[in-house]
Every structure is written in structure tokens, then in C-alpha cells.
Amino acid sequence: NFPSCRTLPPFGMLPNLQQLVLRRMGSITRINARDLSCSKNNRLKCTIDDMPSLEEFNTTYIRGDKKSTFSAIEELVVQKCPLVRFGSLPPRARRLVISECDRGMNFLGEKQDEHKEGPSCTSAPLTELVVKSCSMPLDQWSLLNHLSTLPSLTIENCSLYDLCFSGSDDNNSRPEYLGYLTSLQELKIVSCEDVRYPTPLQWLIQKLTSLKSLHFIDCKELWELPEDLGDLTSLQKLAFE
């Protein structure tokens, strides 16, 4: 509740900071990741909440003329920031939660090129990504393009039909970015609408052939499993809760 604050202080000067909450600061339009955590702090849990004017979370870590190596923070939660998008690199956090951020999954960085060297194709150290209450179609979740090593994805409180069918008219291209999650081993679908077969459920799983664990939690419209489930030859755990 600091409506006149336009620039955040350098919280990274606090080497032992473990919890940081930024909430309802209506004049903040840009946050620099390097100002939140110092190079030796890997325990920080940061929440950015209800920031309606925040447009960019700049993820480039630069000190002076050189790019610095910053430890990944423990958790980054970004919620109720409808305009925010991430900068040139994926956030360096072990756990990332994006909630009620209409543009948050649409990444500002360049498309990943496995033949290109440099920070634009550096994978984030994410071990868990949680996406809640997202209305952006899956064909615009370009952030996934940079998370090829992501092991766990949770999609919560979303309409799967809107995710899969609100974008391109070409059905085969809609879940394109899911195909970049080549290391994904766990997928959780939680309290989502329209979880039913044959569509849109088949679009979610047909490209995730490395899955070992698949959870459906509080999905009341799921009555039948897709035949494509048989293509998940690595699957070890299937849970309905």
C-alpha cells in the first residue's frame, strides 16, 4: 500500500533475507530480479501480489558491465499482476507460481535455439512450475519453450477448453509449447473445468511422453480416459483425487 512508490530499494543488499512480500504498490511498473536477491542468497521466498501496473519482471542479472551469477531463490510467487511479463531470461527460482496473471506465460525472451550459445537459451533452474487461474491459451505459453529441463508442472483452476481452443484455428498447433517440456515427469491438473475426453485432455498429454506421474485432483467432469494415455509408456503413477 505505497501508491506513490515508483522504484524499489535494492533488497539484494540484505544477504540473509528469507522472505519478501511486495503487495499493492500501484505505481511500480518494472521489477529487476537482481534487486531482490544477492549472489549468495538461495533461501529467499518472494511474493509479488496485486500489482496492477507491473508490466515487466526483468530477469537479466547484470552487475556493472558483466553478467553476474546469482543463486536461484527458493520460491517466486507472482499473482494478480495482469500485465506482467518476464524479461530476457526465465526467472531463477526453484519453484515458480504464476497466478491470475493474464500475460505471465507469454515470455518476452527470444525463442530457444539449441545451436545458439548465450544467456537467451539458458534454462531456468526450475524444479516446479504452478500456473493458476490462467486465461491465456496454451499456444501462447511461450515461457515453456525455455523450460526443457522442468520436471513438474501443475495447472490449477483453469478452463482446459479455453486453454486449448482460444487460439489458432489449427488444432495441431495449439499445444505446441508442451512439446518443449522434454524432461517433464509430473503433471498435476487441479480443479480445472472441462477436463474430459476426447478434447481438450488429449492435447495435454499426447506430447508429454516422458511423464512418470499424472494426477487429476478435483476434476469433476472427467468421466473417461483418452486412448492416448496408452502412449505414456514411462508412466508409473496415475492418481485421481
Side-chain angles (χ1 to χ4, degrees), residues 6-237:
R6 296 181 181 275
T7 304
L8 296 174
F11 296 106
M13 296 180 66
L14 303 172
N16 295 310
L17 186 66
Q18 295 189 30
Q19 185 172 4
L20 174 64
V21 179
L22 305 172
R23 178 175 290 129
R24 292 189 294 274
M25 303 176 73
S27 296
I28 298 293
T29 61
R30 177 186 174 99
I31 292 179
N32 294 315
R34 65 179 181 271
D35 293 332
L36 300 183
S37 178
C38 70
S39 59
K40 297 181 180 180
N41 187 357
N42 59 5
R43 301 183 302 274
L44 179 66
K45 293 184 178 181
C46 178
T47 298
I48 301 171
D49 180 29
D50 199 4
M51 308 274 273
S53 300
L54 181 64
E55 297 181 358
E56 182 179 356
F57 187 96
N58 180 23
T59 50
T60 303
Y61 295 79
I62 300 178
R63 179 174 295 162
D65 295 329
K66 298 181 179 180
K67 294 185 182 296
S68 300
T69 301
F70 277 69
S71 298
I73 65 175
E74 184 67 27
E75 180 180 74
L76 174 62
V77 178
V78 184
Q79 58 190 22
K80 296 182 180 179
C81 301
L83 302 179
V84 71
R85 296 172 70 186
F86 294 104
S88 57
L89 293 171
R92 292 190 59 81
R94 293 184 181 87
R95 185 174 190 265
L96 174 62
V97 179
I98 301 176
S99 178
E100 297 182 67
C101 299
D102 292 343
R103 303 176 65 190
M105 293 301 296
N106 191 279
F107 188 51
L108 285 172
E110 297 178 358
K111 185 174 181 180
Q112 187 178 30
D113 185 349
E114 61 182 4
H115 301 294
K116 179 180 179 181
E117 296 182 356
S120 64
C121 62
T122 301
S123 296
L126 279 172
T127 59
E128 182 180 3
L129 172 62
V130 180
V131 183
K132 299 181 181 180
S133 304
C134 180
S135 59
M136 177 171 287
L138 276 168
D139 66 346
Q140 297 179 35
W141 285 25
S142 55
L143 179 62
L144 300 182
N145 183 39
H146 296 258
L147 302 179
S148 59
T149 60
L150 180 71
S152 177
L153 171 64
T154 299
I155 301 176
E156 181 174 342
N157 195 30
C158 297
S159 170
L160 294 189
Y161 190 88
D162 290 341
L163 289 183
C164 293
F165 298 105
S166 295
S168 168
D169 290 333
D170 181 1
N171 289 353
N172 293 323
S173 67
R174 284 169 183 162
E176 173 187 0
Y177 289 115
L178 289 177
Y180 290 100
L181 301 180
T182 55
S183 299
L184 193 69
Q185 298 184 20
E186 180 180 58
L187 174 64
K188 295 182 180 180
I189 308 295
V190 183
S191 300
C192 289
E193 301 176 6
D194 304 315
V195 182
R196 55 179 180 260
Y197 176 76
T199 56
L201 185 57
Q202 63 184 18
W203 298 114
L204 286 176
I205 65 174
Q206 67 178 188
K207 292 185 180 247
L208 304 177
T209 55
S210 296
L211 276 183
K212 293 184 178 180
S213 178
L214 180 59
H215 297 249
F216 296 96
I217 303 171
D218 192 26
C219 298
K220 299 178 180 178
E221 294 191 28
L222 180 60
W223 292 89
E224 184 179 358
L225 293 178
E227 295 179 1
D228 306 75
L229 199 64
D231 296 332
L232 301 180
T233 55
S234 299
L235 195 67
Q236 297 176 7
K237 182 176 182 179

